[in-house]
Amino acid sequence: MFKSGDTASCVQSRELTAVMDLDCLPYGAGHAQEGVCLLVRMGPHRILLDCGVEDIAPLSATLNRSLPADFVVCTHAHSDHARGLLALHQSFPHLPIYASEVTARLLPLNWPELAQQPESGFCQGLPWQSPLEVRPGLSVQLFPSGHLPGAATVLLTYAAPHRTYTVVYTGDFFLSNSRLVEGLPLGELRGMKPDVLILEGSYGTARHPHRRQLENQLADRIHRAIADGYSVLLPAPALGLGQEMLMLLRSHHYFTGRDLDIWVDGTVADGCDAYLELLPQFPTAVQNFALHQPLFWDERVKPRVRRLSAEQRPGLGATPCIVITDQIADLALYVADGTNPWILLAPQKPGYPVSDWLGNTPESGITSVETYLLAEHCDGPGTTQLIHNLRPQHVILLHGSPAYLADLANLDELRNRYQLHTPAAGTLVELPIGEMFLQPAIPETNYEGELSELGTEVAISLPSPITADPRWANFADTGLVEARWQGEELVLRGISQRELLFQGSAVQAHLECCGNCQHYRSQRCWNQSSALFGFKVTPDGFCPVFKAIPDSELFIEGETDGE
């Protein structure tokens, strides 16, 4: 039996619990081509974080109030985070929408037909690192997030009667500096200890080379294509990657002073114009560059950078050139029959095949389609670094292949410290604070197999459930694998059709060249005695320490059986 005081305390506790609801409902979790849209509830307040869904109907399907949220915060202007904002504003014109000042000015590029209309300016810009109380007791503060000009990490702080609650949402983030954007300032967020951290896991647990190394690899591939007489077609989103590649091509030693035309078309060109209007908001190094020569458009300094007109398209490819255009454009418009050959270089979206998101690829005119990685997000170590520096209680992982997100959630260093969630769209995530939490079961990603030595070869048997993983199709594409030692572990890698054809047709068997060297693997030299050790090399290259592949290894290194 409770005493009267205990009863009052119990009633107060129940009331406090009712007020302190903290949960997250993803309308879009950023899987595949699905955009990101999250409804966060903090006590009596409802906050919509991003609106990258194409159909906003679910936001008001069960609406029992006049607005789907108290306000909206958009982290950056990429379409998968912003494309539903206009429809949301048109349906609920009194719903406040906030973003950084740069993002507010870039958002209209998602709707080119409305860019010059007053209705496109529906977003209110907020200054960096200045808390704004948007509701009683609830404030919003924005920190630079890297990744894209204006991209923001959002800090929500709710001062409840007995406790202050905090939620941090990164949107897309990048710790490293890129050509036009400085990385997320980790020192300003370190030790924040939010109750909830919502962040992307685009690259899963994969470890990638430094951004500059990836840039050099891309520049080298374009350089070799131009030298071989090819024109290069580079599809890109309207903002971010296209402008980054332009800065790379203009400043890399392979191209400075080179008699070459770089053409820019579609919304990528509109994005360049928008960047020029925001030049004072860019890093000092970019502003200094612009003092000496134009940031993008320049017909005097080689390589020449020009906006492409419809009248100029038929003449493309008469001499080797570079074309940067929309990733959803009809690429056949740029590839004319009878001109020099073309190479299509498409950016990788880890966890998904290029065909899932690339626009219309012409059946003829393109000699080859290749992919490259120019990191715009943190890899696995960078993602875990941010988590460990912030030290949250709950971690919600979104925006990536479900398999990649499961890999992150399976890391012992995260599972042992944080309460992890990887929700799908429509799944409510309740976020109890300071209560006992049982870690939900994570899908098993380790598989036990058997090893058999069969005289002249070795057979590795793995259980059939491994084929249920969506990554298996890519791994077993050709049935061939490459094995290499990594410390005491043996790592298997599937060989793709493109790599197999490239290796098989690039060189003749009798030539003393990299393609026939026993130290040539994954298009790189692994001979420590060679000056090329660790570098990406062409199969027809040569160095004095060439070592021929033994006859016993001239065939394949391994096979997979998908049955």
Side-chain angles (χ1 to χ4, degrees):
M1 242 182 124
F2 291 109
K3 296 180 181 178
S4 59
D6 294 333
T7 302
S9 176
C10 183
V11 171
Q12 185 184 41
S13 177
R14 285 198 301 269
E15 291 176 349
L16 185 61
T17 302
V19 173
M20 295 308 157
D21 286 333
L22 184 58
D23 55 43
C24 176
L25 175 62
Y27 289 110
H31 301 160
Q33 297 190 53
E34 173 186 277
V36 178
C37 183
L38 313 171
L39 181 65
V40 171
R41 182 170 56 166
M42 299 182 73
H45 305 295
R46 296 157 60 92
I47 307 102
L48 198 66
L49 299 174
D50 285 335
C51 189
V53 293
E54 294 185 2
D55 181 11
I56 67 165
L59 277 69
S60 56
T62 58
L63 193 63
N64 56 3
R65 55 175 68 192
S66 58
L67 297 175
D70 296 329
F71 60 92
V72 184
V73 182
C74 179
T75 58
H76 62 288
H78 275 156
S79 63
D80 58 340
H81 290 254
R83 60 185 161 216
L85 285 176
L86 178 61
L88 188 67
H89 170 69
Q90 292 172 338
S91 299
F92 305 99
H94 299 295
L95 177 64
I97 300 175
Y98 302 105
S100 71
E101 294 172 340
V102 172
T103 295
R105 296 178 62 179
L106 292 177
L107 278 175
L109 290 174
N110 286 284
W111 314 282
E113 68 281 2
L114 298 178
Q116 303 302 322
Q117 298 185 17
E119 188 177 35
S120 64
F122 54 78
C123 181
Q124 178 181 340
L126 301 181
W128 293 120
Q129 302 176 18
S130 299
L132 173 67
E133 187 173 11
V134 292
R135 288 292 183 273
L138 178 65
S139 65
V140 176
Q141 188 173 1
L142 303 184
F143 296 85
S145 199
H147 177 70
L148 186 75
T153 290
V154 182
L155 169 62
L156 301 172
T157 304
Y158 175 51
H162 294 82
R163 188 185 189 280
T164 297
Y165 292 81
T166 53
V167 173
V168 172
Y169 171 50
T170 65
D172 290 348
F173 74 98
F174 197 26
L175 294 177
S176 300
N177 294 336
S178 52
R179 294 275 169 174
L180 294 166
V181 190
E182 293 179 344
L184 182 149
L186 188 57
E188 298 176 11
L189 303 178
R190 183 174 291 116
M192 188 175 285
K193 297 183 181 179
D195 296 302
V196 181
L197 172 61
I198 308 172
L199 78 166
E200 58 151 329
S202 298
Y203 295 164
T205 57
R207 182 186 296 270
H208 293 141
H210 191 272
R211 166 81 179 210
R212 286 292 182 264
Q213 185 176 346
L214 295 173
E215 288 182 347
N216 288 333
Q217 292 176 5
L218 175 60
D220 176 72
R221 183 65 191 97
I222 296 175
H223 162 71
R224 288 189 287 110
I226 296 295
D228 292 339
Y230 288 86
S231 291
V232 180
L233 188 57
L234 297 166
L239 295 170
L241 187 59
Q243 291 77 24
E244 289 282 332
M245 286 192 294
L246 272 178
M247 286 296 294
L248 170 63
L249 295 172
R250 297 207 68 197
S251 58
H252 198 277
H253 65 87
Y254 277 143
F255 303 101
T256 51
R258 191 167 184 171
D259 188 12
L260 177 69
D261 287 317
I262 302 174
W263 301 97
V264 188
D265 198 16
T267 57
V268 179
D270 296 335
C272 292
D273 291 338
Y275 275 30
L276 293 176
E277 295 178 1
L278 298 170
L279 193 57
Q281 306 288 341
F282 280 77
T284 303
V286 178
Q287 297 184 46
N288 290 339
F289 180 93
L291 290 175
H292 299 90
Q293 58 180 294
L295 194 61
F296 298 122
W297 314 124
D298 195 343
E299 297 192 14
R300 297 182 303 103
V301 177
K302 300 176 182 178
R304 297 170 293 272
V305 180
R306 306 175 180 177
R307 180 189 291 270
L308 183 65
S309 65
E311 294 76 16
Q312 293 168 320
R313 286 176 185 162
L316 290 176
T319 58
C321 65
I322 299 172
V323 176
I324 303 176
T325 187
D326 303 338
Q327 64 184 25
I328 59 173
D330 182 0
L331 302 182
L333 294 174
Y334 308 95
V335 183
D337 293 334
T339 63
N340 289 330
W342 288 79
I343 288 179
L344 171 64
L345 295 180
Q348 295 177 16
K349 187 173 183 180
Y352 301 102
V354 175
S355 58
D356 281 0
W357 58 267
L358 188 60
N360 299 319
T361 304
E363 296 181 357
S364 61
I366 300 288
T367 302
S368 67
V369 178
E370 302 177 19
T371 61
Y372 66 89
L373 177 63
L374 195 59
E376 299 178 280
H377 311 259
C378 279
D379 61 2
T383 302
T384 56
Q385 179 186 6
L386 179 69
I387 295 173
H388 292 326
N389 274 271
L390 265 66
R391 298 171 61 189
Q393 182 175 155
H394 290 272
V395 177
I396 300 178
L397 296 168
L398 300 161
H399 201 310
S401 159
Y404 280 26
L405 298 178
D407 289 346
L408 273 171
N410 261 322
L411 291 175
D412 288 339
E413 64 174 296
L414 298 182
R415 296 196 70 194
N416 294 337
R417 301 185 187 184
Y418 313 104
Q419 301 172 19
L420 302 171
H421 313 268
T422 57
T427 303
L428 179 67
V429 181
E430 296 183 347
L431 302 162
I433 301 300
E435 299 181 11
M436 182 177 294
F437 181 84
L438 297 177
Q439 191 65 256
I442 301 294
E444 182 61 58
T445 57
N446 295 327
Y447 302 91
E448 294 185 359
E450 294 183 356
L451 182 67
S452 304
E453 296 186 29
L454 306 175
T456 59
E457 61 183 24
V458 175
I460 299 176
S461 300
L462 297 172
S464 59
I466 196 174
T467 62
D469 192 294
R471 291 169 289 188
W472 176 259
N474 289 332
F475 178 83
D477 183 28
T478 61
L480 306 179
V481 297
E482 178 187 76
R484 62 180 174 84
W485 289 105
Q486 183 172 294
E488 296 297 319
E489 297 180 346
L490 185 66
V491 178
L492 298 179
R493 183 184 69 86
I495 299 177
S496 66
Q497 293 187 31
R498 184 177 297 114
E499 184 178 353
L500 185 64
L501 292 172
F502 181 72
Q503 292 179 346
S505 61
V507 297
Q508 300 179 19
H510 66 279
L511 294 179
E512 292 187 359
C513 57
C514 294
N516 292 329
C517 179
Q518 60 182 275
H519 297 288
Y520 178 74
R521 297 190 305 275
S522 304
Q523 302 182 38
R524 293 182 180 276
C525 175
W526 298 105
N527 188 346
Q528 297 187 11
S529 301
S530 172
L532 300 174
F533 174 68
F535 287 96
K536 195 170 185 179
V537 297
T538 58
D540 55 352
F542 172 78
C543 74
V545 290
F546 166 81
K547 291 186 179 180
I549 301 175
D551 292 341
S552 59
E553 299 180 13
L554 283 176
F555 194 51
I556 58 177
E557 290 147 330
E559 299 183 0
T560 61
D561 188 347
E563 298 299 326

